[in-house]
Amino acid sequence: MTRMTGTVSRGIRCPIIREGDDIAGMVVNSVIEASEAEGFGLHDRDVVAITESVVARAQGNYASIDAIAQDVKEKLGGETVGVIFPILSRNRFAICLKGIAKGAKKIVLMLNYPSDEVGNALVSLDQLDEAGVNPYSDVLTEEKYRELFGQNPHPFTGVDYVQYYGDLIRSCGAEAQIVLANDPRAILNYTDSVLNCDIHSRARTKRILKAAGAKRVVGLDEILSQSVNGSGYNAKYGLLGSNKSTEDTIKLFPHECFELVNDIQAKLLDRTGKHIEVMVYGDGAFRDPVGKIWELADPVVSPAYTSGLEGTPNELKLKYLADNDFADLKGEELKKAIETAIRKKDDDLVGNMASQGTTPRRITDLIGSLCDLTSGSGDKGTPVVLVQGYFDNLTD
């Protein structure tokens, strides 16, 4: 029988995972049980993906705001600290900000505008145009921002983040001053001790600040890069990728996951006889065209994956072949010609016109985004995703 389906993505229900659980065994059991219950087979080059949240939970990778405060104070001096370019998020940054504020006497909070790094807007571009504000050069005090733009609650959450972050800092016993600017050097007019909280542009921000004479520059990736009094930590990403756990505790991005994915792969091979790829995934790398929010608040889509997921897709564009190379063919003759082209394609299609328009992104970013959309972020109860047929093409 001719195969009529391509890639399939399934959310896999699992038991609730707690600290110390055997997550590898639970994932393997859940995938096999789902296969048996739903009547689908497992194949070589299927992909099993586990959300980073349950991995970190099983690791017990948590930290308190007091641990954050101690690390901030030790690394930035505990006096006036410039906190620049955080994202606007109660889940992602607010609890971190509590800890940061407890580690300083004064926080000068400098926000990007018109939106943060991942697209959460403070104001619109149209509002800036109407006010005659140049976001590339103009530094706005909180008072000037209010004079020009008034109250601007987030369209999805209803939170006025300028007020919310200011009140949060003050509630932790620190003085708060808020400014809006996009040039990182602007913070040096207020303090030379800076905590830069941007995610994907963090290396550039550090470089600019150091060149401009900042005395101390520490990235959010350097806070809790080591354990503080037994706390969780992430040696590579620090607080980046962390989420709210309780009102005074965060769950950090999972660490040392390569051993886990390789263990799961080995267990699946032993139980099923199939060589299945495995990855841990966080936020997908996609952007909402309406809200303008770029989903990727984690430092990477996948912090760990098995070796078979390295690289980028190597695909031909079928519509290019149909409209150009085989424009004079149709029906079964066209199908056979395209299948022959696929079978004979080069191992590296970079620069080949027949591959233009295919997605030039890493496989882990593509599959991780698919998994994030499949599992969702709410109550679906499917922290594991099984992706099948991803590496197939029309000839399979």
Side-chain angles (χ1 to χ4, degrees):
M1 180 181 294
T2 301
R3 177 176 164 184
M4 299 299 292
T5 59
T7 301
V8 175
S9 178
R10 289 184 174 91
I12 304 295
R13 291 181 176 175
C14 295
I16 301 299
I17 294 170
R18 295 291 191 186
E19 181 177 346
D21 283 347
D22 174 17
I23 188 170
M26 294 171 77
V27 169
V28 170
N29 288 339
S30 296
V31 170
I32 293 174
E33 289 169 6
S35 170
E36 294 170 347
E38 303 293 338
F40 59 84
L42 298 172
H43 313 96
D44 289 330
R45 298 224 78 189
D46 285 352
V47 180
V48 168
I50 310 100
T51 182
E52 59 82 20
S53 178
V54 297
V55 176
R57 189 185 306 155
Q59 292 176 342
N61 203 19
Y62 295 87
S64 69
I65 58 174
D66 290 334
I68 297 172
Q70 182 175 330
D71 212 19
V72 168
K73 188 172 183 178
E74 289 177 356
K75 291 175 177 174
L76 287 156
E79 297 296 326
T80 299
V81 176
V83 176
I84 71 171
F85 302 159
I87 62 173
L88 306 176
S89 171
R90 292 168 296 175
N91 176 47
R92 288 288 190 171
F93 188 71
I95 307 303
C96 293
L97 184 56
K98 279 188 177 183
I100 294 165
K102 289 188 70 174
K105 292 181 179 178
K106 178 179 179 179
I107 297 294
V108 182
L109 182 66
M110 193 169 89
L111 303 174
N112 301 93
Y113 77 99
S115 64
D116 70 7
E117 182 181 4
V118 296
N120 293 297
L122 287 173
V123 293
S124 69
L125 286 171
D126 288 336
Q127 286 176 291
L128 295 185
D129 292 341
E130 291 170 6
V133 172
N134 182 348
Y136 298 103
S137 60
D138 293 350
V139 177
L140 305 180
T141 63
E142 183 177 0
E143 293 73 23
K144 188 64 176 178
Y145 165 75
R146 294 299 188 194
E147 176 189 329
L148 292 172
F149 306 115
Q151 302 293 319
N152 288 280
H154 190 283
F156 292 163
T157 66
V159 174
D160 183 321
Y161 279 96
V162 174
Q163 179 178 338
Y164 176 63
Y165 278 176
D167 289 346
L168 190 151
I169 292 167
R170 287 183 283 269
S171 74
C172 294
E175 183 184 348
Q177 182 176 2
I178 298 176
V179 295
L180 286 74
N182 291 303
D183 184 340
R185 293 169 293 190
I187 195 65
L188 299 180
N189 292 320
Y190 304 90
T191 179
D192 58 6
S193 294
V194 185
L195 176 62
N196 68 293
C197 302
D198 44 342
I199 306 163
H200 307 291
S201 56
R202 61 188 184 275
R204 176 177 181 267
T205 299
K206 289 179 189 177
R207 173 176 56 79
I208 290 172
L209 286 168
K210 288 178 180 178
K215 181 179 178 181
R216 298 185 183 95
V217 182
V218 176
L220 207 61
D221 56 332
E222 298 172 84
I223 302 299
L224 292 191
S225 57
Q226 294 180 320
S227 178
V228 174
N229 296 328
S231 74
Y233 69 97
N234 189 298
K236 188 173 185 180
Y237 298 118
L239 289 179
L240 293 179
S242 62
N243 293 86
K244 176 181 178 178
S245 176
T246 69
E247 292 301 325
D248 59 5
T249 307
I250 59 163
K251 177 196 64 61
L252 288 98
F253 212 45
H255 58 84
E256 301 167 4
C257 302
F258 280 97
E259 182 178 339
L260 172 66
V261 296
N262 288 317
D263 185 27
I264 292 173
Q265 184 179 62
K267 282 181 166 63
L268 285 167
L269 179 62
D270 181 63
R271 295 273 301 274
T272 69
K274 304 299 181 182
H275 185 84
I276 295 172
E277 304 297 343
V278 183
M279 65 184 290
V280 175
Y281 71 94
D283 278 344
F286 49 84
R287 185 179 182 185
D288 171 18
V290 177
K292 309 301 182 185
I293 296 172
W294 186 34
E295 178 69 9
L296 189 55
D298 287 327
V300 290
V301 172
S302 176
Y305 47 87
T306 49
S307 59
L309 297 175
E310 290 279 2
T312 57
N314 191 57
E315 301 173 343
L316 294 170
K317 196 76 169 180
L318 297 192
K319 66 181 181 181
Y320 181 91
L321 295 175
D323 291 345
N324 291 273
D325 295 36
F326 309 122
D328 57 334
L329 303 180
K330 60 182 180 180
E332 189 65 23
E333 190 177 10
L334 173 61
K335 181 175 181 290
K336 289 182 177 179
I338 288 178
E339 288 178 348
T340 298
I342 292 172
R343 292 190 181 98
K344 292 182 176 180
K345 68 182 178 181
D346 295 333
D347 291 335
D348 186 356
L349 292 171
V350 173
N352 189 317
M353 288 296 290
S355 69
Q356 66 176 338
T358 57
T359 309
R361 290 165 60 187
R362 293 183 300 180
I363 290 168
T364 51
D365 292 343
L366 292 164
I367 297 179
S369 298
L370 172 62
C371 292
D372 189 27
L373 288 167
T374 301
S375 62
S377 58
D379 57 7
K380 294 183 184 299
T382 55
V384 174
V385 176
L386 174 67
V387 178
Q388 299 185 292
Y390 186 84
F391 294 100
D392 296 348
N393 59 47
L394 185 62
T395 67
D396 295 309

